[in-house]
Amino acid sequence: MTFEKNGKMVDETNNNSQPNPELGNTTAAEEDNSVARADSPNVNTPSVQKNIKNFQRIYLILVVIGLLVGVFVAWGVVSALNRFGLTDSQPQIEQTR
């Protein structure tokens, strides 16, 4: 049975072991492998490695900035609570009947 897969003719009757005359000298399995290799990114190229390093560095910088902002916000909240006396203990009130 011959059908079109990803815009290419594939013959499934030869169990992927015999060359397909419609595809040239390649078998259907070799054709599937070449399509899979074309679709999958190659992470070993220098440009991809450079991009990965850049994204890791940017991520680390963003984490550090987030931690620093969090420290300053926490310090501001504690300062505001102390300034307005919201951390002081409440005076004891006597209950009368």
Side-chain angles (χ1 to χ4, degrees), residues 6-26:
N6 295 331
K8 298 180 181 177
M9 297 300 291
V10 177
D11 186 7
E12 293 248 326
T13 57
N14 60 13
N15 295 328
N16 296 332
S17 61
Q18 300 294 323
N20 185 347
E22 294 177 4
L23 295 174
N25 290 332
T26 61

Side-chain angles (χ1 to χ4, degrees), residues 35-43:
V35 170
R37 275 185 260 134
D39 292 340
S40 64
N42 188 359
V43 295

Side-chain angles (χ1 to χ4, degrees), residues 8-65:
K8 298 180 181 177
M9 297 300 291
V10 177
D11 186 7
E12 293 248 326
T13 57
N14 60 13
N15 295 328
N16 296 332
S17 61
Q18 300 294 323
N20 185 347
E22 294 177 4
L23 295 174
N25 290 332
T26 61
T27 63
E30 290 172 348
E31 190 69 26
D32 288 343
N33 286 341
S34 67
V35 170
R37 275 185 260 134
D39 292 340
S40 64
N42 188 359
V43 295
N44 294 329
T45 61
S47 64
V48 172
Q49 292 295 329
K50 183 179 175 185
N51 287 340
I52 289 172
K53 292 288 184 190
N54 285 339
F55 286 128
Q56 287 174 342
R57 184 176 32 176
I58 291 170
Y59 181 78
L60 183 62
I61 289 170
L62 289 174
V63 167
V64 169
I65 289 172

Side-chain angles (χ1 to χ4, degrees), residues 69-81:
V69 169
V71 166
F72 285 116
V73 168
W75 178 76
V77 168
V78 170
S79 296
L81 288 173

